Amino acid sequence: MIKKKPSLNLAYALQTVQDNRNLYAAWAKDYESEFADQMDYVLPQKVAEIFVQIGGIGPVLDVGAGTGLAGQALLKLGIKSIDALDLSSAMLEVASNKKIYKNLFTADITQPIKTVNYTYQGIISSGTFTHGHVGPSAIENLLSIAQGGAYFALSVNKDHWLKKGFATQFKELNDKIDRLLLHEVLIYGDHSKVDHRNDLAIVVTFQKV
Ligand SMILES: C[S@@+](CC[C@H](N)C(=O)[O-])C[C@H]1O[C@@H](n2cnc3c(N)ncnc32)[C@H](O)[C@@H]1O
C-alpha cells in the first residue's frame, strides 16, 4: 500500500501496474487540487488542441483519462462523443461525476484490452505514457480498439520517450500507421514549480491505416 503522500516524484518512481492502482486510489480526490492546479498542468489542454488541429473527430476514447482533464478540454473544443478508460476505478469515479464521458472502462493498457466493446475514430492520452507508468508496447493494444483511419494524439514524456525506445516501436508499427508527427510541448505552464518548469512531452499524432 502507498504510505507516503502521493506526489509527482512518487508517481515517476512506480514500478508495477499494482503500484499505479495503489497510488491513484490514494490520489484521486486530491489529484486536481494538489497536482494539476498547483503545477499549472497544461498538458491535457495541449493534447486536446493538437487532436483537433490534426482533424480528429469523435467518437473518442481518452486513455488513462484519470479525473477527466483531457476529456473536459476536448468537450470545450466541440468534440461531443467521448469515452474514458483508466486502470484506476478511483480516478474514473471522479471523472464520472463530471458527466463528460458516455462510457467509462477500467482496463490495463499494457495488456490486450478486453473490457472495451467499442471501436473509436479518435484516441487521445495525456500524462499516461510517462516514467513509472506505461511504455511503448501498449500502443499496439490501443490500435486494436481503433477504427481504420482513426486519429491518435498521445502525449509521451520526452525523457521516457528516449529511455523506453518509443521511436523504435513506431518504426515497427510503420505498416499499421500513417502521417506520424511529433509535437514537442511543455507539460506545465508559467505558474508551475521551478523544478519541473521545463519538463517536455512529445505529443505523437498519427492515423491508423
Ligand atoms: C498522470 S495521470 C493522467 C491523468 C489524466 N489523463 C491527466 O492528464 O490528468 C496517469 C493516469 O494513467 C493511469 N494509468 C497508469 N497505468 C495505466 C495502465 N497500465 N493502463 C491504463 N491506465 C493507466 C493512471 O491510473 C492515471 O489515472
Side-chain angles (χ1 to χ4, degrees):
M1 282 303 288
I2 298 289
K3 294 203 178 90
K4 287 189 196 155
K5 201 170 158 56
S7 66
L8 183 59
N9 291 340
L10 214 55
Y12 276 179
L14 298 174
Q15 298 202 345
T16 66
V17 169
Q18 190 55 41
D19 285 348
N20 271 265
R21 273 197 202 93
N22 292 344
L23 178 104
Y24 285 102
W27 211 2
K29 288 212 174 78
D30 302 324
Y31 173 85
E32 291 192 11
S33 59
E34 290 188 357
F35 165 68
D37 295 348
Q38 281 189 25
M39 292 291 289
D40 194 11
Y41 178 54
V42 293
L43 187 61
Q45 178 69 31
K46 291 195 180 165
V47 168
E49 284 169 6
I50 290 171
F51 179 77
V52 171
Q53 274 161 24
I54 62 163
I57 50 169
V60 174
L61 182 66
D62 180 4
V63 171
T67 60
L69 294 174
Q72 252 171 294
L74 209 54
L75 190 64
K76 281 199 189 130
L77 292 171
I79 304 275
K80 296 219 164 52
S81 177
I82 318 172
D83 287 356
L85 175 154
D86 202 281
L87 177 71
S88 165
S89 48
M91 292 291 270
L92 284 181
E93 202 180 316
V94 177
S96 168
N97 289 336
K98 294 182 179 170
K99 314 266 182 251
I100 312 161
Y101 299 109
K102 262 195 190 161
N103 303 292
L104 298 98
F105 305 102
T106 306
D108 169 8
I109 60 165
T110 66
Q111 303 299 319
I113 300 164
K114 295 189 178 132
T115 49
V116 176
N117 36 15
Y118 300 97
T119 55
Y120 293 89
Q121 262 300 98
I123 298 203
I124 63 162
S125 182
S126 155
T128 296
F129 291 89
T130 191
H131 306 294
H133 290 55
V134 176
S137 63
I139 291 160
E140 188 124 33
N141 295 329
L142 298 184
L143 283 167
S144 75
I145 49 168
Q147 295 167 17
Y151 290 88
F152 282 70
L154 313 175
S155 83
V156 184
N157 175 290
K158 189 176 177 189
D159 291 340
H160 188 61
W161 173 282
L162 298 170
K163 276 188 196 145
K164 295 286 176 176
F166 276 80
T168 308
Q169 177 75 13
F170 278 108
K171 264 190 203 139
E172 282 166 14
L173 292 174
N174 192 33
D175 55 344
K176 295 185 181 166
I177 64 173
D178 209 2
R179 296 173 197 243
L180 181 75
L181 283 174
L182 309 187
H183 314 248
E184 195 168 280
V185 299
L186 283 165
I187 300 174
Y188 306 103
D190 295 340
H191 305 294
S192 162
K193 291 185 181 146
V194 180
D195 52 340
H196 287 285
R197 198 161 290 161
N198 298 319
D199 287 7
L200 289 168
I202 290 171
V203 180
V204 56
T205 60
F206 55 93
Q207 275 183 272
K208 178 172 169 172
V209 169

